[in-house]
Amino acid sequence: YLIELTLKDFDLNQETNPEIVIAISGFSPVSSRGIHMLKLIIFDMDGLMFATEQVNYRAFTEIVKEEGYNPTFEQYIGFLGMNAKDIQKKYYVYYGEDVDAEGIYKKVGNRSKQIIREEGVPEKEGLRELLQVVREKGLQTAVASGSDTDVIKEYLDRTGLNEYFDMVLSSKDVKRGKPFPDVFLEICKAFDVKPEETLVLEDSANGVQAALAGNLPVINIPDLLPIPKEQQEKCVAVVENLKEVIPYI
């Protein structure tokens, strides 16, 4: 709820308790520019920190064609924000019950890793500037990704960004992946921080929905596709790059 009061709402001829005015003005957990009492920022990884969705799509296309199927961009979009188990379920939907879903998933992952090893991890615009400001403000940080834990750690190692994060958690290590909020809530629990004291940064509709389902404030930085308008309206903000997140913290 957001309560807006102006001077005309008060009788200035009567004594007004300033503490009451302050309490009312700070009622909303989300202000026009940021989160009140912000303590923790949770970063998605693929498509948010790193432009790896393009790499993963390339690997997906190559491997699925080798397996004799016809991959499409629309199919790949259906994976965004999902964990391994849910992605493999999608393979059955796309290619039939006889498909080797686990085998294809592993081959796509290995091909993505090969591309990253050969070409490097592509960082998204504004990532380092944002992380530096987050560090200066003394905020706690975590990565919550649908990628395996070893992949998360490998990418942070390769980019030298380990030092900026206090925790990493894969959706594979919680009961339900995105669009459920389990991975975010588990991180909040680990830091003993309330959801409303947390800011989630997400690029995909599944990730944004997971944050909203857990009542966590979220900023959307779109990658391959914009999120639905009804989701945009529930976000703290929708911005073009990570540098534009800085005013909200």
Side-chain angles (χ1 to χ4, degrees):
Y1 299 99
L2 179 63
I3 298 176
E4 295 185 0
L5 297 175
T6 64
L7 288 176
K8 69 179 182 180
D9 295 306
F10 296 92
D11 183 351
L12 298 182
N13 293 321
Q14 305 227 0
E15 291 187 5
T16 302
N17 187 334
E19 293 183 358
I20 295 177
V21 177
I22 293 171
I24 294 173
S25 66
F27 183 79
S28 173
V30 181
S31 72
S32 61
R33 292 299 283 175
I35 316 300
H36 289 299
M37 300 300 294
L38 179 61
K39 296 179 180 179
L40 168 65
I41 299 183
I42 302 177
F43 291 71
D44 178 45
M45 187 179 75
D46 295 301
L48 188 285
M49 293 171 54
F50 307 122
T52 41
E53 293 295 4
Q54 290 86 342
V55 173
N56 294 336
Y57 174 60
R58 178 174 151 194
F60 161 75
T61 301
E62 292 177 7
I63 298 300
V64 171
K65 283 183 178 178
E66 289 176 6
E67 296 292 320
Y69 301 102
N70 296 312
T72 67
F73 180 72
E74 289 72 22
Q75 289 171 353
Y76 182 77
I77 290 299
F79 300 148
L80 297 183
M82 288 187 170
N83 62 19
K85 185 183 297 183
D86 292 331
I87 289 174
Q88 289 174 44
K89 288 179 181 178
K90 282 282 191 181
Y91 280 126
Y92 291 116
V93 174
Y94 294 155
Y95 310 125
E97 60 183 20
D98 294 330
V99 68
D100 181 11
E102 183 177 0
I104 291 179
Y105 176 82
K106 289 181 178 179
K107 288 180 180 179
V108 171
N110 289 336
R111 177 60 181 136
S112 294
K113 291 178 183 178
Q114 180 184 3
I115 294 171
I116 291 295
R117 284 194 297 269
E118 293 173 354
E119 302 178 12
V121 183
E123 296 179 22
K124 296 298 288 285
E125 180 182 356
L127 175 61
R128 290 182 183 268
E129 292 94 328
L130 173 59
L131 288 173
Q132 186 59 41
V133 172
V134 170
R135 169 183 278 181
E136 291 170 358
K137 290 181 175 289
L139 299 171
Q140 295 173 304
T141 53
V143 176
S145 173
S147 292
D148 295 346
T149 301
D150 63 332
V151 173
I152 300 172
K153 291 182 177 179
E154 179 182 350
Y155 287 3
L156 294 179
D157 282 340
R158 287 183 174 276
T159 55
L161 295 175
N162 315 63
E163 62 181 295
Y164 288 99
F165 293 97
D166 303 305
M167 178 181 180
V168 300
L169 184 63
S170 169
S171 295
K172 290 184 67 176
D173 297 324
V174 296
K175 185 176 181 180
R176 302 174 300 177
K178 303 170 187 178
F180 297 97
D182 301 29
V183 67
F184 297 140
L185 297 179
E186 191 66 29
I187 291 173
C188 289
K189 182 179 178 181
F191 285 103
D192 192 24
V193 170
K194 298 176 182 178
E196 59 266 30
E197 297 171 333
T198 305
L199 176 62
V200 174
L201 305 180
E202 274 283 357
D203 67 289
S204 71
N206 272 337
V208 169
Q209 183 57 43
L212 295 174
N215 294 316
L216 295 107
V218 56
I219 292 179
N220 173 236
I221 306 91
D223 183 37
L224 297 181
L225 282 178
I227 61 173
K229 185 176 180 181
E230 56 269 24
Q231 281 191 334
Q232 295 181 25
E233 294 171 349
K234 297 176 182 178
C235 292
V236 174
V238 177
V239 299
E240 291 186 0
N241 58 63
L242 291 168
K243 190 173 183 179
E244 292 183 7
V245 173
I246 293 174
Y248 294 91
I249 62 172

